Structure formats: C-alpha cells, structure tokens
Amino acid sequence: MAFVKGSHWQYRCPFRKAWVDVSADEDRQLKEAYLALPRGGQPVAMCKIGSLKFSTDFRNLIRTNVASKRTMEVRLRDGDLPFPTPKGPEAPSEASLGANSPESIAPCELEAARTVPHSVRKAWGHGIESGITMSGEFEFTMEASEKELFGEMLSWNMLAAGISPQSLDNRCLKFTSSQGEVSMGSKKEIAKMLGNPRAYPIHISYKPHPAFKFVAPQYVPHMEVTRTMLKFTQTAVAELDGKLDNVKHKHQRRTFERYLLYLEDHYYQTGDDLSDALDMEAVVNKYPETAFSFLLINKTGPGLSKILRGEIDVLEYLFGG
C-alpha cells in the first residue's frame, strides 16, 4: 500500500474557498501517518509546521489549527487514498473524497471562467508568456557584440522577473567580468567594465535580499522597521517555546496566535528568516525618519516575552507605577 506518485494533500482555504497544497513537510507527515493506520496508528495526525501545529482527523478528513481551532476540509490531489478512511462519528465530505466543488477556483477552471479577474489568472500562471518567471530576480550573460543592446536585455529580464523600474534597486545589480572582477553600486566602475573589451562576456545578476523583492527604494525604510518589529516578535515566540500555554493572560493568547501567523506569513511570502534584521538603534541611525515608529516599541519590544508571561504589567512598564 502506497500513495500514488505525484499525489499531494490539500486543504480548502477558509478565506479563498479554494483548494491549496499543504507544505511538502506536512504532506510527508500526513502520508506517513495515514499509512500507519493499518498498523495501529492514531486516526488523528499531529503535524508541526514551523511554530504552528495542525491536527488532521482521517475519519472525517478535517484539518484543525490547534491554536485557533479553525477547521478546514482536506483531500488528496492527483490520486486515490491507498485504502478507505477509518470509520468515525462523522464521514468525510464528498469534496474531500474527490467530488467536484463549485466553490473551488483551480487553474483548469480559469480558462472557461471569463469573469475571473486577470490578476487572479496571472497568479495561476495563465496568460503568461514563455520565459516570464515573476521571481523578482534574474541573471544573464552579455557578449561584447551585445553591448549596444544592454538596455533592451536589462528591460526584458526586468519584465520577466516582474520588476518595475520604480522597484529596481540598482545597488543589487552585480556585474562580473570574465576575469572574475565584480562591480556593484558604482556607476563609474560599471562603465569602466562595460568599456573594457577583455571583460566580456559579462555576467549580470540581480538578486536582492528576500525581504526587499518588489519593494521600491523609497519603501525600504518602512520594510526595515517591519523586519525589526517582527524580530522582536520572533524572539518573544522563541522564548515562550511557541506555546500558547506559556502566555499568562487569556486575552493575550489570541494576540500570540496572530504573532505566529504574522511570522509564518512573512517566512512564506518572502523567504526571509529575519536572521539579519537590524535592531532599533541601527535602523534609526540609518533612517532617522523612522524614529517615530519606535515611540512605544522601544520599551515593549525588548520586554515582549516578559509581558506575555505576565512578569511585567504593560501599563506600569510603559508609564511607571
């Protein structure tokens, strides 16, 4: 008994009403737990994805966010289950067992759905020309004979990567000559390299920091502030072992759950693990106009874990008492 090659577990997103693939890690955990059922495995699989925990009941194919208690249906994509689901008080829905659902929005349905906005079709990869990646980064090699076409080559690669002229950070453009010399962020040095016939072929790459992809230069300070605040949150979550039970006050537990979601969303959307996020002092020194953003955070940020544990009263911490 085994799962069909290429099959993947999905859950129905409660917000978009669409079926979404679970992460590769969760897919592996679910398959291992399901295959263990005939050997006496538990009908409810507990999966830990980063700092979040999900329980999936194979008896009714319902997935539950352990922290928020939010539930959603699950199903197997591109294949049948190796054996029937175990019996339980509640049977799986027809959609979880593979029946077509009129609510779902899948790539195969977009061709016939003329009312779906172009932005949604684009997100599914429909109507995109070959070679366009929308990845936010690119690299290409330019020969000496192509020097006069540098502008066109750069424009095409920006278009393919989904980078607008306003969001291009020229400090991240890296020019590497055939001798291995590198020029970045200096118009004079780059012009010198482009004018040297022996430097060709020249490799041009654009790979900005994950957190700053598609971010226009004027919004970089705002993103730095956001990363600093998320770093405070990440540190506090780590000091509480990511557990709601370590949050003393009940009214703060929903806030703690949001912290977990904010972090997971940031990791997923940007690939930025915040390991190089600047501290408050460094951000303010680099961008003085951001000092206003830290009026209260400069106290609550470093002490966030103590506030959540109930070791410090936040009002007394802010105003004394």
Side-chain angles (χ1 to χ4, degrees):
M1 293 183 294
F3 283 88
V4 176
K5 185 178 180 180
S7 62
H8 200 98
W9 284 99
Q10 294 184 314
Y11 68 93
R12 175 175 280 180
C13 178
F15 307 108
R16 290 186 287 157
K17 304 299 182 184
W19 290 99
V20 182
D21 286 357
V22 302
S23 68
D25 188 26
E26 185 176 2
D27 178 66
R28 176 186 58 77
Q29 295 179 54
L30 288 173
K31 287 179 177 176
E32 290 176 354
Y34 197 89
L35 293 176
L37 289 175
R39 304 192 300 271
Q42 295 297 319
V44 179
M46 296 297 299
C47 299
K48 185 174 182 180
I49 313 300
S51 56
L52 294 177
K53 291 183 180 180
F54 296 93
S55 66
T56 300
D57 192 332
F58 294 126
R59 295 169 296 187
N60 53 19
L61 293 180
I62 293 294
R63 176 178 184 256
T64 304
N65 184 319
V66 175
S68 67
K69 308 304 180 185
R70 184 176 289 119
T71 61
M72 58 212 80
E73 296 171 282
V74 293
R75 71 177 183 184
L76 188 69
R77 169 180 60 78
D78 296 336
D80 297 325
L81 293 169
F83 46 85
T85 59
K87 293 183 178 180
E90 182 180 354
S93 68
E94 293 183 1
S96 289
L97 294 176
N100 292 327
S101 171
E103 291 181 327
S104 63
I105 300 177
C108 60
E109 298 172 357
L110 293 180
E111 288 299 329
R114 297 181 181 179
T115 59
V116 176
H118 176 69
S119 59
V120 176
R121 298 174 63 89
K122 191 174 182 181
W124 283 111
H126 283 242
I128 303 293
E129 296 180 28
S130 176
I132 294 184
T133 64
M134 307 302 288
S135 63
E137 58 185 35
F138 60 80
E139 56 182 328
F140 63 94
T141 300
M142 182 173 64
E143 302 289 344
S145 60
E146 299 171 324
K147 177 184 176 181
E148 299 302 322
L149 301 175
F150 172 60
E152 288 79 358
M153 295 174 73
L154 180 62
S155 297
W156 160 249
N157 281 277
M158 288 172 58
L159 171 65
I163 303 169
S164 65
Q166 296 82 9
S167 64
L168 179 74
D169 188 347
N170 55 25
R171 297 171 300 177
C172 298
L173 270 176
K174 181 179 179 181
F175 294 76
T176 307
S177 70
S178 57
Q179 290 82 29
E181 298 176 348
V182 176
S183 295
M184 288 183 69
S186 173
K187 180 179 178 180
K188 183 177 180 180
E189 290 182 4
I190 293 173
K192 182 180 178 180
M193 180 182 291
L194 294 178
N196 181 6
R198 293 180 298 177
Y200 293 87
I202 297 175
H203 187 76
I204 296 104
S205 62
Y206 181 80
K207 296 185 179 181
H209 188 287
F212 300 101
K213 284 185 180 179
F214 309 109
V215 177
Q218 64 267 30
Y219 298 120
V220 167
H222 173 74
M223 178 56 77
E224 290 284 21
V225 170
T226 299
R227 295 180 74 229
T228 299
M229 294 182 178
L230 284 173
K231 185 66 176 180
F232 284 136
T233 304
Q234 183 189 60
T235 301
V237 167
E239 291 179 358
L240 272 69
D241 297 325
K243 297 179 179 179
L244 281 174
D245 293 340
N246 292 333
V247 180
K248 182 176 181 180
H249 300 295
K250 186 176 181 180
H251 67 274
Q252 291 179 328
R253 293 182 178 178
R254 183 55 63 88
T255 300
F256 186 78
E257 180 196 353
R258 292 193 187 101
Y259 290 160
L260 298 178
L261 294 174
Y262 292 158
L263 289 171
E264 288 301 322
D265 182 67
H266 183 76
Y267 300 150
Y268 179 79
Q269 297 290 345
T270 68
D272 172 32
D273 62 4
L274 301 171
S275 59
D276 59 350
L278 301 176
D279 57 30
M280 284 188 301
E281 185 178 356
V283 174
V284 174
N285 287 339
K286 191 174 182 179
Y287 307 105
E289 68 275 15
T290 64
F292 184 78
S293 302
F294 296 109
L295 288 180
L296 294 179
I297 304 300
N298 63 351
K299 290 186 177 181
T300 58
L304 184 56
S305 60
K306 293 182 179 180
I307 293 171
L308 293 172
R309 285 198 188 100
E311 298 173 3
I312 299 176
D313 183 274
V314 67
L315 295 179
E316 293 183 1
Y317 190 52
L318 289 173
F319 306 108

